Amino acid sequence: MVKDMATSLLGADAGPRPQLVRRVGFAVALLLSGMLVGTALEKARADGRPTTILASQEPLPAGILEGLEGYTKLFTTMDASLLPSVFHKTVSMSALADEKDLGSFQVMDYKGLKSMLDMFYDVFQGKKPWSSLPAEFQSMKGAVMIGATSPVRHYSLGPNEYVTEIYDRFVRSGEVVVSFHTNLHWINTVDGWRIKDKIYATLP
C-alpha cells in the first residue's frame, strides 16, 4: 500500500542514496526519541515521582484533542485545505511499505502528503473515477475514519511536546476496511498543536 504511493510521490528514480539517507535519519530520530524518554524517566526517578509517564492518566491538552478531531476529519474528507491546521509544515509520515521487510521504510513529507490527499479528494468529489486510485486503495470507497479521538495512551516529553498512541481505522457500514496502529508526535507552535511526526503500521 505505502510502497506504490511512495514511489509515485517520491519518484521512481529515487536511488539507494536517498533511501539510505532516510533510513539513517529514521535511526537517528529513534535514537533521539529514546534518549528523550530515557532522560524523562531518569528525571522522574530523581524527583521521586512514579516512572509510568509513558501512560499518562492526565487529560490531554485541549489543543491536541481538537487536533485529533481535525485529524479524523482530514482523513475522512481528504480535504487538503485542513492540512495546515493538523500537520506541521516539516512533518514526516512514515511506515514500512512491506512490513516483513525492514529495509522498505518509506517517508512522506508535507508536499507528498498534500499530493496524496489531492489524489483522494478528486476521486471523492467525483472528478476522477475510483479506478484511478491504486488498487489497494479502491476498497476504501465509502469508508470513514474513526478511533483517532480515543488515544490508547499518551505521554508528555515536556510542556510543548506530546506523543499520542492511537488505533485509527477506516470503517464502512460497521465493517473495518483497514486498521492502523499510529504514533503521533505533537509540538506546540505559535499556531497551536501540530503533528510533527506520524509513524504507523497496518494491523491484521
Side-chain angles (χ1 to χ4, degrees), residues 46-60:
D47 293 344
R49 292 183 285 116
T51 56
T52 55
I53 61 169
L54 298 186
S56 173
Q57 299 304 308
E58 297 177 8
L60 277 168

Side-chain angles (χ1 to χ4, degrees), residues 13 15 29-30 39 42-43 46 49 67 81 84 93 98 114 118 141 148 158-160 163 174 177 184 191:
D13 60 345
L30 282 179
T39 301
E42 288 303 319
K43 188 175 187 308
R49 292 183 285 116
S81 69
M93 186 172 84
D98 177 355
K114 183 180 184 304
D118 287 339
K141 185 175 183 179
N160 295 308
V163 171
V177 177
L184 302 172
D191 297 317

Side-chain angles (χ1 to χ4, degrees), residues 2-186:
V2 180
K3 185 175 183 180
D4 293 338
M5 183 168 61
T7 299
S8 64
L9 295 174
L10 294 174
D13 60 345
R17 182 174 174 78
Q19 291 177 4
L20 177 62
V21 170
R22 285 195 297 271
R23 290 176 193 157
V24 170
F26 177 62
V28 171
L30 282 179
L31 176 63
L32 289 176
S33 62
M35 290 171 63
L36 282 170
V37 171
T39 301
L41 283 169
E42 288 303 319
K43 188 175 187 308
R45 290 190 189 102
D47 293 344
R49 292 183 285 116
T51 56
T52 55
I53 61 169
L54 298 186
S56 173
Q57 299 304 308
E58 297 177 8
L60 277 168
I64 292 181
L65 290 173
E66 292 173 5
L68 287 169
E69 291 173 0
Y71 173 93
T72 300
K73 185 176 181 181
L74 174 66
F75 285 107
T76 294
T77 64
M78 301 296 179
D79 183 355
S81 69
L82 301 173
L83 194 56
S85 64
V86 178
F87 285 92
H88 193 272
K89 286 287 186 181
T90 58
V91 68
S92 63
M93 186 172 84
S94 50
L96 290 170
D98 177 355
E99 291 171 359
K100 295 179 182 178
D101 177 8
L102 296 180
S104 68
F105 195 78
Q106 301 282 359
V107 180
M108 191 180 298
D109 62 8
Y110 189 94
K111 182 179 178 181
L113 182 53
K114 183 180 184 304
S115 295
M116 183 196 76
L117 293 170
D118 287 339
M119 174 182 68
F120 272 97
Y121 192 71
D122 285 346
V123 172
F124 280 24
Q125 296 298 306
K127 297 177 182 177
K128 293 182 180 179
W130 276 90
S131 59
S132 66
L133 290 176
E136 61 267 29
F137 293 116
Q138 293 178 23
S139 64
M140 291 174 58
K141 185 175 183 179
V144 296
M145 175 176 274
I146 65 171
T149 53
S150 302
V152 174
R153 70 178 67 189
H154 59 274
Y155 55 95
S156 170
L157 295 178
N160 295 308
E161 284 188 274
Y162 257 83
V163 171
T164 56
E165 180 186 3
I166 61 176
Y167 287 115
D168 44 337
R169 52 201 181 278
F170 285 94
V171 175
R172 181 179 55 242
S173 302
E175 181 180 346
V176 176
V177 177
V178 59
S179 185
F180 303 96
H181 179 193
T182 305
N183 289 296
L184 302 172
H185 176 195
W186 299 81

